[in-house]
Amino acid sequence: MSPAVSRLLLRLLLLGGISLAGLGVLGPVVLAGRVDAFYGRFTSPLAGSLIVGTSRAAQGIQPAVLEDAWLGKKFDGPLLNYAFTLTHSPYGPAYLRSIQRKLRPEVRDGLFIVAVDPWSLSLTGPEGRYPEDNSFIGQLHQVSQNPNLAYLTRYQTKPLYRLLLDYATATEHLHPDGWLEVTIGVDSAQVRARTARKLQDYRRLAASQHLSAGRLQALRQTIQFLQQHGHVCLVRLPVGPSLLQLEQTYQPGFDQLMRQTATALAIPYLDYSTQPYATTDGNHLQRAASLSFSQQLAKDLAAALASH
């Protein structure tokens, strides 16, 4: 057993108060990156291509599907889904720094899918005060370390003895390529109930937030940084019709703003916001829809990048 693994097991014992027998089982779970919906992205190797954005992209874009279609033959890999949540990875200085840390510096032929929506460019309160600065996105400097002790000791919030229990029953499965697979019921009644709750959440956001000049600047800076390392495409993912209507009311000029941004930076913009893909809650694609969307995205990316 390596010294790093030994130190990790000792730390887990001290923090979690669980038995040595439990640690023997828990250790491989941790080393495989199966701690929560985020941890594995901070233990994987540095990436050659990235998908960035919030949870829409985390659940909606499958790197393996893109690679199976054509990516592995044309762009530097590995392709990693490095999208997190609206809380952790809206566009801003902290997310940009984390992206810069995760990308191999020598990459020159990468593919970068930059997923956008009005919320990922919005802010509550004054400009320049970004809540994610105080999260792992803003404070975790080691983003490709296995085991990642800094993450485990500071940002893994569940009692460690629950990791084994949760691993056996988890509805969220973070794949090694960063795709977050979510397994929940998708019958019509469940989807309607979740959609109603999600709409309430976003109505509160619409009432308290504004489109942020600072976040828009950070988006442009993110694109410009990634352009130094390869090919960038701006993408707006599908959402349910109710949430799309709210977004259009909240920021009626958003789509035009994204088109202008893409044109100014000479990158393609693919807008799927009105496409009828099935969601779990009006906001995130269902597993089957994520597969079909990723297949369509691969085809459209090939065509869009060929014309730029």
Side-chain angles (χ1 to χ4, degrees), residues 69-112:
W70 48 266
L71 172 60
K73 298 178 182 179
K74 296 186 178 181
F75 296 103
D76 290 336
L79 171 62
L80 176 70
N81 192 321
Y82 201 61
F84 294 87
T85 72
L86 183 58
T87 298
H88 298 100
S89 56
Y91 292 102
Y95 193 27
L96 174 54
R97 289 192 297 270
S98 190
I99 290 168
Q100 291 169 333
R101 293 181 183 121
K102 193 62 184 182
L103 183 65
R104 292 202 320 273
E106 73 275 12
V107 166
R108 292 297 178 268
D109 198 20
L111 173 68
F112 306 103

Side-chain angles (χ1 to χ4, degrees), residues 15-280:
L15 293 177
I18 57 179
S19 68
L20 288 174
L23 285 172
V25 181
L26 182 57
V29 172
V30 171
L31 292 174
R34 297 169 179 170
V35 168
D36 58 21
F38 312 125
Y39 175 70
R41 298 193 187 104
F42 298 125
T43 63
S44 61
L46 293 177
S49 296
L50 291 168
I51 298 161
V52 298
T54 63
S55 58
R56 286 186 191 176
Q59 297 180 36
I61 304 177
Q62 300 186 26
V65 174
L66 300 183
E67 290 189 320
D68 286 346
W70 48 266
L71 172 60
K73 298 178 182 179
K74 296 186 178 181
F75 296 103
D76 290 336
L79 171 62
L80 176 70
N81 192 321
Y82 201 61
F84 294 87
T85 72
L86 183 58
T87 298
H88 298 100
S89 56
Y91 292 102
Y95 193 27
L96 174 54
R97 289 192 297 270
S98 190
I99 290 168
Q100 291 169 333
R101 293 181 183 121
K102 193 62 184 182
L103 183 65
R104 292 202 320 273
E106 73 275 12
V107 166
R108 292 297 178 268
D109 198 20
L111 173 68
F112 306 103
I113 300 170
V114 179
V116 291
D117 58 65
W119 319 105
S120 67
L121 293 168
S122 292
L123 183 65
T124 300
E127 289 289 342
R129 294 184 182 179
Y130 302 110
E132 68 273 13
D133 289 351
N134 297 318
S135 75
F136 54 73
I137 286 294
Q139 298 185 0
L140 190 65
H141 290 189
Q142 297 294 334
V143 297
S144 291
Q145 186 179 75
N146 191 19
N148 196 317
L149 296 181
Y151 184 93
L152 289 172
T153 56
R154 296 185 63 185
Y155 304 109
Q156 200 298 113
T157 57
K158 293 183 294 187
L160 293 177
Y161 72 87
R162 288 203 56 85
L163 290 181
L164 286 176
L165 299 176
D166 291 348
Y167 174 64
T169 61
T171 59
E172 297 179 332
H173 173 210
L174 184 65
H175 289 247
D177 61 13
W179 174 49
L180 183 62
E181 180 181 10
V182 177
T183 306
I184 53 177
V186 291
D187 67 57
S188 58
Q190 291 172 312
V191 172
R192 282 197 302 271
R194 288 194 213 101
T195 299
R197 292 193 295 269
K198 189 64 67 174
L199 276 172
Q200 290 289 351
D201 293 340
Y202 278 95
R203 287 187 183 117
R204 285 192 287 268
L205 287 179
S208 63
Q209 291 194 332
H210 63 275
L211 197 65
S212 165
R215 292 207 186 282
L216 184 59
Q217 180 184 21
L219 172 66
R220 295 184 180 120
Q221 292 171 338
T222 299
I223 293 170
Q224 290 168 336
F225 164 73
L226 294 173
Q227 284 179 307
Q228 300 172 37
H229 298 276
H231 309 269
V232 182
C233 186
L234 205 60
V235 175
R236 188 175 181 185
L237 274 77
V239 292
S242 298
L243 185 53
L244 178 60
Q245 183 178 17
L246 176 61
E247 290 181 356
Q248 291 171 335
T249 301
Y250 170 59
Q251 290 296 332
F254 182 79
D255 186 57
Q256 181 61 27
L257 177 61
M258 292 299 98
R259 293 188 185 281
Q260 292 171 350
T261 299
T263 299
L265 295 173
I267 63 172
Y269 172 53
L270 301 177
D271 177 18
Y272 299 93
S273 60
T274 63
Q275 297 298 306
Y277 288 90
T279 70
T280 60

